[in-house]
């Protein structure tokens, strides 16, 4: 599905150990189904905030430092697409 977005303006970030419910504010469904998270909510949200914050700063504000951080990547995060 990622391929349908404009490649020159899109970045896909996959945080290792973060589940779909880890993206939200609770792990209740993961725990109920036996899907044990590898990251705490705090760790997962911090990783997401790093990527999203730098992506938005680079793209919307033209922040060269944020673009450099995005290009360098983040621990535990696989990035695909434009950086």
């Amino acid at each position: 599905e990622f391929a349908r977005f404009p490649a020159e303006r899109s970045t896909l970030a996959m945080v290792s150990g973060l589940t779909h419910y880890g993206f939200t504010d609770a792990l209740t469904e993961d725990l109920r189904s036996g899907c044990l998270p590898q990251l705490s909510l705090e760790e997962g949200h911090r990783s997401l905030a790093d990527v999203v914050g730098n992506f938005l700063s680079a793209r919307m504000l033209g922040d060269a430092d944020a673009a450099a951080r995005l290009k360098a990547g983040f621990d535990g995060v696989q990035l695909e697409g434009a950086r």
Side-chain angles (χ1 to χ4, degrees), residues 6 9 21-22 26 30-33 39-40 42-43 50 65 82:
R9 297 186 325 225
Y21 287 106
D30 279 342
L31 298 174
R32 186 184 344 233
S33 67
L39 290 177
S40 68
E42 183 178 295
E43 292 170 312
D50 284 345
D65 291 333

Side-chain angles (χ1 to χ4, degrees), residues 64-82:
D65 291 333
R69 286 189 294 274
L70 193 62
K71 186 171 184 121
F74 303 91
D75 289 340
V77 180
Q78 179 183 346
L79 296 172
E80 293 181 17

Side-chain angles (χ1 to χ4, degrees), residues 13-18 38-39 43-44 47-48 51 73-79:
M14 294 170 281
V15 178
S16 297
L18 185 66
Q38 297 172 354
L39 290 177
E43 292 170 312
S47 292
L48 285 170
V51 173
F74 303 91
D75 289 340
V77 180
Q78 179 183 346
L79 296 172

Side-chain angles (χ1 to χ4, degrees), residues 1 9 12-14 20-22 27 29 34 46 52 61-62 65 67 69 75:
E1 290 296 316
R9 297 186 325 225
L12 173 66
M14 294 170 281
H20 170 76
Y21 287 106
L27 295 174
E29 290 299 320
R46 189 176 320 119
V52 171
L61 302 176
D65 291 333
R69 286 189 294 274
D75 289 340

